[in-house]
Amino acid sequence: MPYFGLGVYLSEDGKEVTNAVKWALQDGYRHIDTASIYGNEEGVGVGIRESGVERKDIFVVSKVWNSDQGYESTIKAYESSLKRLNLDYLDLFLVHWPVKGKYKETWRAMEYLYKHKGVRAIGVSNFMQHHLEDLLTSAEIVPMVNQMEFHPYLVQQDLIDFCNKNAIQYEAWSPLMQGHIFELDIMKGLAAKYNKTIAQIVLRWDLQKGVVTIPKSAKKDRIRANADIFDFELAPEDVKKLENLDRGKRFGPDPDNFDF
């Protein structure tokens, strides 16, 4: 699983998302993250095919939405995602949210897909520690990934430690705090210190925390700039400075109190 990829949440299906995926892959990205609820899987598939990059070299991720959760419906949702993407398999399929009373049956279907339908890896998204602990009481396969809201205002180190202990790869969504990261003076200072953009600073921080990150952009120059994070390293004290910004603040929904 590449540690850095392109997220396509809110990218419009058609030309916008197709171009974003194509530009990213042509600029060296090898990890594309979408979901059925994003409504842009078809455009993502077109971008993959038009990029000129071989399918086997691209790590493609999608997710089963809440209304599709359950055993049979999850299997059908997977087949539908493949059809829209026009692909033969997914590299990673995630349970999008922990729907109460359903996520265990959904996970049983994910295990079936992993064993029988060519999914290379299965995981979850937005699962807190208690969700994971509950799932692990009946799971045959430990989730391989947990994709969570993660940024300097929401570190959730205890959850990261739990995932690391159980060999669950932690992954960030909304790493730029839905744009609020650009308002922080400390980020402006670090950007000047390292001669990098604010986005590059926080995305580099993700990697140094061992967290996979998938920033979203539909702009060619920003897609390219976001990936320019492999030629520098944050000093340990600067990594700590960003950790110390943690205030348990979410910009997205709370996994324990959501209604989709």
Side-chain angles (χ1 to χ4, degrees), residues 2 14 42 59 61 72 100 102 117 121 144 153 162 168 217 228 240:
E42 290 185 7
F59 192 92
V61 186
E72 294 293 343
K100 190 174 181 180
K102 286 191 173 182
K117 293 292 184 178
M144 300 165 190
Y153 274 9
F162 178 85
I168 301 170
S217 183
D228 188 19
K240 194 67 179 174

Side-chain angles (χ1 to χ4, degrees), residues 216-233:
K216 178 260 176 182
S217 183
K219 297 182 178 179
K220 189 174 186 178
D221 56 347
R222 195 167 296 164
I223 288 170
R224 179 170 291 172
N226 284 346
D228 188 19
I229 57 173
F230 297 98
D231 60 350
F232 78 108
E233 187 171 325

Side-chain angles (χ1 to χ4, degrees), residues 2 25 30-34 44-45 48 55 57-62 82 85 87 89-93 119-121:
L25 291 172
R30 290 297 180 265
H31 176 174
I32 305 295
D33 181 281
T34 186
V44 168
I48 289 170
R55 167 68 184 98
D57 295 327
I58 307 170
F59 192 92
V60 183
V61 186
S62 195
L82 279 189
L85 287 158
L87 298 176
Y89 67 93
L90 285 177
D91 297 276
L92 175 63
F93 197 41
V119 183
R120 300 281 176 91

